[in-house]
Amino acid sequence: MIAGGYDDRLAENRSTFEALREQARSLGILEQTEFIRSCTEAERLALLSRCRCVVYTPINEHFGYGPIEAMAAGRPVVTSDGGGPRETPTGDRRRRAPQERRGGEHE
């Protein structure tokens, strides 16, 4: 399942959504992948109560409510190693993906 904010008026949102669908298609998992765009607060809370973990993908986000909401729900968080999410997930729930450097190399 992939869930997140979505605004059809924004070209970046539309292109990212289509790229994710295409990636799932190319991996042969499109039929098993559910995409949820701009869920309500009740839906978000239900998703957080049922998920195994939250993967938060923005790079250099200045704050990032997603990781905080996940931790409040008692869920582990996987996030990029930059911006606000670098500091918010703590303790045994902290897992960070390597931040990409210029040229596609990882730290």
Side-chain angles (χ1 to χ4, degrees), residues 5 9 23 28 35 39 47 49 62-63 68 76-78 80 82-83 93 95 99-100 102:
R9 298 171 296 177
Q23 186 171 15
F35 294 91
C39 57
L47 290 170
S49 73
H62 69 283
F63 184 70
I68 292 170
V77 179
V78 178
S80 63
R93 299 205 182 287
R95 303 288 184 271
Q99 180 76 25
E100 281 196 29
R102 292 183 183 174

Side-chain angles (χ1 to χ4, degrees), residues 6-26:
Y6 181 85
D7 186 339
D8 194 48
R9 298 171 296 177
L10 300 175
E12 181 181 18
N13 282 197
R14 292 190 309 270
S15 65
T16 298
F17 176 68
E18 288 307 317
L20 288 169
R21 286 182 52 81
E22 181 54 39
Q23 186 171 15
R25 184 179 295 109
S26 71

Side-chain angles (χ1 to χ4, degrees), residues 1-6 13-27 29-40 43-44 47-48 50-58:
M1 175 180 301
I2 298 174
Y6 181 85
N13 282 197
R14 292 190 309 270
S15 65
T16 298
F17 176 68
E18 288 307 317
L20 288 169
R21 286 182 52 81
E22 181 54 39
Q23 186 171 15
R25 184 179 295 109
S26 71
L27 293 170
I29 61 169
L30 182 60
E31 298 302 318
Q32 295 86 19
T33 306
E34 182 178 358
F35 294 91
I36 299 176
R37 298 178 281 182
S38 298
C39 57
T40 66
E43 290 169 325
R44 179 178 45 78
L47 290 170
L48 284 169
R50 295 190 325 251
C51 71
R52 293 185 181 181
C53 76
V54 170
V55 178
Y56 190 74
T57 61

